[in-house]
Amino acid sequence: MSLIYTWFSTCVTIFYFKVVSVSPLMKATLKYLTGIAGPSGYGSKTTADEVAQDCLSSMPTSHQLTAIVTGATSGIGAETARVLAKRGVRVVIPARNLRKAEKVKESIQRESPEAEIIILEIDLSSFASIQRCCSEFLSLGLPLHILINNAGKYSQKLEFSEDKIELTFATNYLGHFLLTEMLLGKMVETASQSCIQGRIVNVSSVIHNWVDRKHFCFSKLLSPKSYNGTRAYAQSKLANILHAKELARQLKARKANVTINAVHPGIVKTGIIRDYRGFITDSLYFMASKLLKSTSQGAATTCYVALSPQTAGLSGKYFADCNESRCSALANEEAEARKLWKQTRALIHRRFLVPVGQNVKGSSTN
């Protein structure tokens, strides 16, 4: 069986190089299926373990990194936390379900007894909860080198947060926006003191391409009159990219030694689709299993952007399969990114009296 698979992969690889140059879409698809490495030396089949080993093996042990990983109680978030901790990174897991977080911690420490895991309580859909979590983290007096905004919420039905905001948008975008704002000062300070560049990673999705301009209206994102779960999820992931684009511009203007990028982890069967359980879904996943990434492959791009020397200095970019990639035209619009930023900051300040934009010394809120 392995011989047949090897023969098939070889044939596909030859076809990729000899025939498909006329079709960029087909070329990209075959590149994904065969795992052909891109300019970074990695591809769709690369695992998070491989990336972390390459990137952290040469780092002096005296420079322990501290990383916050949201959504680390399952899926690619848990794998990201495991891989980072295995390589000596101190990992902070903010979690709504503390019992699940403890289980992840125990699992990581069984594999890596020396791993340092800190658990904090957070509900990313609640601004008050985010403020409490950030205050608790800052009170620990720890540095912060890496912030991975990984947590994702998908809801088939219309739900609202305690702040009366549509739940998917509140969790996936607004929650991570506020978390980043409240921790940015610590990241800039850490980067300045340690001379190690800070890295922020927004986990987005290729599904952001589905969003068209007429549906991307801030007030409707907060409280939609008609609701579609897939569209709401796609809109939140577009907002994650726009957030990265605008914050990258601001950080560059301030000459802060912190970068922010967005990543598409690939299509992985994780808890994000738990609401779609059923015979049809399971059957489709069985048939498409060769197209899906493993959890470790799904976490690879996040680890690459967060750790690799190759991504040093890159900011406001979009990555897939551990290589810089193209996002949608709407996601690339600087004016759209700036408008969303201003609307978000105004909402937070007006409704929740959060002093955003004051966590970075000398920062500008323009």
Side-chain angles (χ1 to χ4, degrees):
M1 189 70 180
S2 60
L3 184 61
I4 294 175
Y5 180 78
T6 302
W7 173 82
F8 175 76
S9 297
T10 302
C11 290
V12 171
T13 303
I14 293 172
F15 181 72
Y16 167 78
F17 282 116
K18 297 293 185 181
V19 181
V20 197
S21 59
V22 296
S23 174
L25 179 59
M26 189 177 294
K27 184 176 181 179
T29 301
L30 286 174
K31 190 173 183 179
Y32 169 81
L33 291 174
T34 57
I36 296 172
S40 69
Y42 303 115
S44 62
K45 305 302 182 186
T46 300
T47 67
D49 266 313
E50 292 168 343
V51 170
Q53 181 175 1
D54 292 346
C55 296
L56 293 177
S57 58
S58 60
M59 178 169 287
T61 54
S62 59
H63 292 138
Q64 184 185 29
L65 301 178
T66 299
I68 292 179
V69 185
T70 70
T73 57
S74 63
I76 61 175
E79 177 65 5
T80 301
R82 181 192 72 82
V83 169
L84 293 178
K86 179 180 177 181
R87 300 294 170 185
V89 178
R90 178 192 293 117
V91 177
V92 180
I93 300 178
R96 186 168 56 89
N97 189 324
L98 297 181
R99 182 175 297 181
K100 289 180 68 175
E102 285 291 346
K103 288 183 177 179
V104 170
K105 177 179 178 178
E106 291 169 5
S107 175
I108 291 173
Q109 291 182 331
R110 278 196 299 271
E111 179 185 3
S112 306
E114 301 301 318
E116 185 177 352
I117 309 293
I118 298 170
I119 295 174
L120 301 176
E121 185 172 11
I122 194 171
D123 178 352
L124 275 167
S125 71
S126 163
F127 283 15
S129 177
I130 295 166
Q131 288 179 280
R132 287 193 297 270
C133 179
C134 290
S135 295
E136 186 176 355
F137 172 77
L138 293 173
S139 71
L140 298 176
L142 295 173
L144 181 58
H145 305 89
I146 300 168
L147 173 60
I148 297 176
N149 293 320
N150 166 83
K153 169 69 179 176
Y154 173 87
S155 180
Q156 275 189 296
K157 61 181 181 180
L158 178 60
E159 299 178 88
F160 289 92
S161 70
E162 66 178 42
D163 300 314
K164 305 297 187 295
I165 296 171
E166 191 277 311
L167 193 59
T168 300
F169 193 67
T171 304
N172 297 357
Y173 169 65
L174 291 175
H176 283 126
F177 181 100
L178 179 58
L179 184 72
T180 303
E181 282 289 286
M182 297 197 71
L183 296 176
L184 192 56
K186 172 56 69 174
M187 294 199 72
V188 172
E189 177 187 276
T190 298
S192 177
Q193 293 176 351
S194 67
C195 296
I196 298 173
Q197 188 173 73
R199 308 278 185 99
I200 304 170
V201 183
N202 283 357
V203 178
S204 182
S205 171
V206 71
I207 200 174
H208 81 272
N209 283 282
W210 294 11
V211 181
D212 57 44
R213 188 182 305 278
K214 68 179 181 180
H215 286 121
F216 199 69
C217 170
F218 191 70
S219 61
K220 293 179 181 178
L221 294 172
L222 300 176
S223 183
K225 293 182 179 179
S226 62
Y227 181 79
N228 176 282
T230 301
R231 185 171 65 198
Y233 183 76
Q235 290 167 334
S236 72
K237 292 303 175 182
L238 171 62
N240 290 147
I241 300 176
L242 292 170
H243 175 215
K245 297 280 185 181
E246 173 59 15
L247 182 53
R249 185 191 68 80
Q250 294 185 20
L251 289 168
K252 183 178 180 180
R254 297 199 289 259
K255 298 182 179 179
N257 191 24
V258 177
T259 64
I260 178 169
N261 293 287
V263 305
H264 166 52
I267 304 173
V268 186
K269 189 177 182 182
T270 64
I272 193 67
I273 54 166
R274 56 186 172 271
D275 291 327
Y276 272 128
R277 287 174 180 164
F279 173 76
I280 295 177
T281 299
D282 290 341
S283 298
L284 287 174
Y285 269 107
F286 176 77
M287 291 185 289
S289 60
K290 293 301 181 184
L291 302 178
L292 300 178
K293 285 189 174 185
S294 68
T295 304
S296 187
Q297 290 168 345
T301 305
T302 297
C303 290
Y304 173 72
V305 174
L307 302 173
S308 177
Q310 297 183 65
T311 59
L314 294 179
S315 197
K317 307 298 183 181
Y318 175 73
F319 292 81
D321 297 333
C322 297
N323 286 276
E324 191 174 338
S325 186
R326 293 182 180 179
C327 54
S328 71
L330 183 57
N332 265 323
E333 287 194 13
E334 183 176 315
E336 192 69 36
R338 189 175 299 189
K339 181 175 74 172
L340 179 63
W341 177 278
K342 289 182 177 179
Q343 291 172 321
T344 304
R345 194 186 66 239
L347 169 76
I348 295 172
H349 184 73
R350 182 177 67 252
R351 294 181 59 179
F352 306 103
L353 301 179
V354 177
V356 297
Q358 298 178 14
N359 289 297
V360 182
K361 295 179 182 178
S363 67
S364 169
T365 57
N366 293 327

